[in-house]
């Protein structure tokens, strides 16, 4: 039986529809995951390895982790299509959503706290360092990274709310590159005070890197939405579904500085509007921050 032109066209259209819906489309076999450098690269890889292994087992994909030298390195990797999913800080996520078409979909829930938020701290050495915001004037200070929520954005906005211009208030300001580096800079007397994430400070204490009694809390921020997992918007729907389902089931394993996990809870882009509002209060132009 000879196929008519009409029948051939109908068959071709049906085939294209199957490809478009993913029925015949080849699914990716590798998932490239970017991680923010809250610790040094090797420590971050070790701290996340068990979760990466479980993610691979539950999705059936080869999971390839990637840690950049700084926050913007992870953003650039997603922008250029070199990674599929990334664990961003709240502010680096806001930048990535604008610059790299990232979309938040899940947040880690710590088993110990059960919280989906955390706080920024300004710490100093007890008995030796400044004990109040007023006493910070003229001192040396460490932020983490320009794109860090708890290590820069929120403390800077919080201090501004108390009348402090951080560009003029301190005698010297450095960006240490990681929360751990800032904690050790205070511990070793390299700076008088630093802004760090509360969970990372608590982890440094728990690991015996520093002693809690050697420090004092000078300032504490409002709650900050937890660091999100985000995928690039163009990732195929089937992979998105597999990844989200797998992360939700991962419990009882350590996750970086957040301790033992009780799974990843769903989130969305709107949850980070508070971060955008904080950036606006600082007159930051997100599109120019790279």
């Amino acid at each position: 039986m000879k196929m008519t032109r009409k029948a051939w066209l109908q068959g071709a259209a049906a085939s294209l529809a199957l490809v478009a819906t993913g029925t015949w489309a080849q699914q990716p076999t590798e998932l490239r995951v970017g991680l923010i450098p809250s610790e040094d690269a090797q420590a971050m890889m070790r701290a996340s390895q068990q979760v990466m292994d479980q993610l691979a087992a539950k999705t059936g994909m080869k999971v390839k982790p990637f840690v950049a030298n700084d926050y913007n390195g992870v953003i650039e990797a997603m922008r250029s299509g070199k990674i599929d999913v990334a664990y961003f800080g709240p502010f680096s996520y806001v930048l990535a959503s604008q610059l790299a078409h990232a979309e938040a979909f899940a947040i880690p829930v710590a088993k110990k706290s059960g919280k989906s938020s955390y706080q920024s701290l300004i710490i100093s050495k007890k008995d030796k360092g400044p004990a109040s915001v007023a006493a910070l004037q003229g001192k040396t200070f460490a932020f983490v990274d320009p794109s860090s929520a708890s290590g820069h954005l929120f403390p800077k906005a919080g201090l501004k709310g108390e009348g402090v211009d951080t560009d003029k208030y301190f005698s010297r300001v450095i960006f240490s590159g990681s929360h751990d580096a800032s904690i050790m800079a205070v511990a070793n007397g390299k700076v008088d005070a630093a802004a760090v994430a509360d969970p990372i400070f608590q982890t440094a204490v728990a690991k015996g890197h520093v002693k809690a009694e050697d420090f004092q809390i000078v300032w504490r921020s409002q709650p900050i939405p937890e660091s999100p997992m985000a995928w690039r918007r163009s990732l195929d729907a089937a992979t998105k579904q597999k990844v989200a389902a797998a992360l939700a089931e991962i419990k009882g394993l350590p996750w970086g500085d957040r301790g033992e996990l009780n799974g990843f809870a769903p989130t969305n882009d709107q949850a980070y509007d508070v971060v955008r509002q904080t950036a606006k209060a600082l007159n930051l132009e997100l599109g120019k921050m790279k």
Side-chain angles (χ1 to χ4, degrees), residues 99-114:
L99 301 174
H101 305 293
E103 185 176 52
F105 70 94
I107 48 174
V109 178
K111 188 173 182 180
K112 185 176 180 180
S113 68

Side-chain angles (χ1 to χ4, degrees), residues 201-285:
F201 178 67
Q202 298 302 331
T203 298
V205 170
K207 289 180 177 179
H209 296 164
V210 293
K211 296 180 179 179
E213 57 267 27
D214 292 339
F215 295 83
Q216 58 192 344
I217 308 301
V218 178
W219 175 90
R220 188 182 292 269
S221 77
Q222 62 175 298
I224 304 169
E226 185 57 87
S227 299
M229 293 292 287
W231 46 45
R232 54 182 174 83
R233 232 165 278 163
S234 59
L235 191 64
D236 67 280
T239 300
K240 287 180 178 179
Q241 185 176 6
K242 281 198 294 187
V243 171
L247 288 174
E249 294 177 359
I250 296 175
K251 300 181 180 181
L253 295 179
W255 177 242
D257 51 69
R258 295 310 191 248
E260 195 172 325
L261 275 174
N262 192 30
F264 284 78
T267 193
N268 56 40
D269 181 75
Q270 289 71 37
Y272 297 87
D273 284 346
V274 64
V275 182
R276 295 182 175 95
Q277 291 160 7
T278 303
K280 188 176 180 180
L282 292 172
N283 298 316
L284 297 179
E285 295 185 48

Side-chain angles (χ1 to χ4, degrees), residues 170 176 183 196 215 264:
F170 307 115
S176 70
I183 293 166
V196 298
F215 295 83
F264 284 78

Side-chain angles (χ1 to χ4, degrees), residues 185-204:
V186 175
N188 296 327
K190 302 296 184 182
V191 293
D192 296 309
V196 298
D198 187 14
I200 300 178
F201 178 67
Q202 298 302 331
T203 298

